[in-house]
Amino acid sequence: MLEGIIRDSMTKQATKTLRRDGYLIANIYGKGLENISAAFKRNEFIKFLKNKETLAFDVNLGGNIVKVVVQEYQKCPLTSELLHVDLMVAQAGLKTAYKIPVKTTGIAKGLKNKGLLMIHTKRVPVRCTLENLPNSITLDVTELDTGDNILIRDLTLSDTLECFLDPRVPVVGIIKAK
């Protein structure tokens, strides 16, 4: 379980001090809940996210255990260092918007024909309850040739998920290398 602290001071100086001490600033929010300003050790947070197996995970903030999902994060444009993360409380039984990561399997035909695999949509936004939340969307790309795409309408999503992207938006495709 990920351990964090609740921030009591929201000043710019306090935020700079926390970042200098190796903390990652986080906002935790949810429907009908009061926002929580928190901070996590940056290295522990990154290690935890790389090793987690489900999209929703538990965090411990001053003795309170909260189940959260990563909604958004900000990186430094120069160093790509993680600066800030928005965590949404995953409430059971409540239909909420989540962003599900896309994973690919197989080696596409187009890669042998001097093509490049492009993941256009890294996270697909869907609305569902926490109980029906998948960990990822896995796509088999072995049949894709140069110029082929897998669109949102080609995804086989369960009936409990509703995607609110345009069905013509590409998720994965093979482009021709120059």
Side-chain angles (χ1 to χ4, degrees):
M1 183 181 313
L2 190 61
E3 299 283 333
I5 59 170
I6 296 177
R7 294 174 36 207
D8 44 340
S9 178
M10 302 302 148
T11 63
K12 197 173 193 178
Q13 186 60 41
T15 303
K16 282 184 178 181
T17 305
L18 280 172
R19 284 196 176 125
R20 191 174 38 243
D21 292 341
Y23 281 93
L24 172 67
I25 306 303
N27 287 338
I28 301 173
Y29 58 89
K31 186 173 183 178
L33 302 173
E34 191 173 325
N35 293 353
I36 302 169
S37 296
F40 299 98
K41 283 284 193 186
R42 183 180 294 113
N43 293 341
E44 289 177 18
F45 187 83
I46 293 169
K47 284 179 190 174
F48 184 82
L49 281 190
K50 285 183 179 178
N51 296 327
K52 72 180 177 75
E53 296 173 5
T54 60
L55 210 54
F57 57 95
D58 292 331
V59 294
N60 186 355
L61 297 168
N64 292 342
I65 297 173
V66 182
K67 187 176 273 303
V68 295
V69 175
V70 175
Q71 277 298 91
E72 205 65 49
Y73 55 87
Q74 296 171 357
K75 288 183 171 183
C76 176
L78 298 175
T79 62
S80 293
E81 183 178 297
L82 198 57
L83 297 175
H84 178 85
V85 67
D86 283 338
L87 302 172
M88 184 180 65
V89 177
Q91 298 169 328
L94 188 65
K95 211 169 198 183
T96 313
Y98 297 104
K99 293 177 182 168
I100 302 173
V102 173
K103 294 183 180 176
T104 59
T105 59
I107 298 173
K109 286 183 199 174
L111 295 180
K112 295 173 185 147
N113 300 333
K114 297 186 180 178
L116 295 171
L117 177 68
M118 289 291 298
I119 300 178
H120 301 288
T121 309
K122 293 183 181 185
R123 296 169 71 194
V124 176
V126 298
R127 286 183 59 83
C128 66
T129 59
L130 177 62
E131 296 81 21
N132 300 321
L133 183 65
N135 293 327
S136 64
I137 297 173
T138 306
L139 301 174
D140 185 22
V141 295
T142 51
E143 296 300 316
L144 291 182
D145 202 357
T146 307
D148 292 345
N149 286 312
I150 296 177
L151 307 177
I152 291 290
R153 67 175 167 235
D154 300 330
L155 299 179
T156 53
L157 300 174
S158 68
D159 297 336
T160 57
L161 297 177
E162 54 181 271
C163 181
F164 43 86
L165 275 181
D166 187 346
R168 298 171 295 185
V169 172
V171 181
V172 176
I174 305 293
I175 61 170
K176 188 173 185 177
K178 293 182 180 181

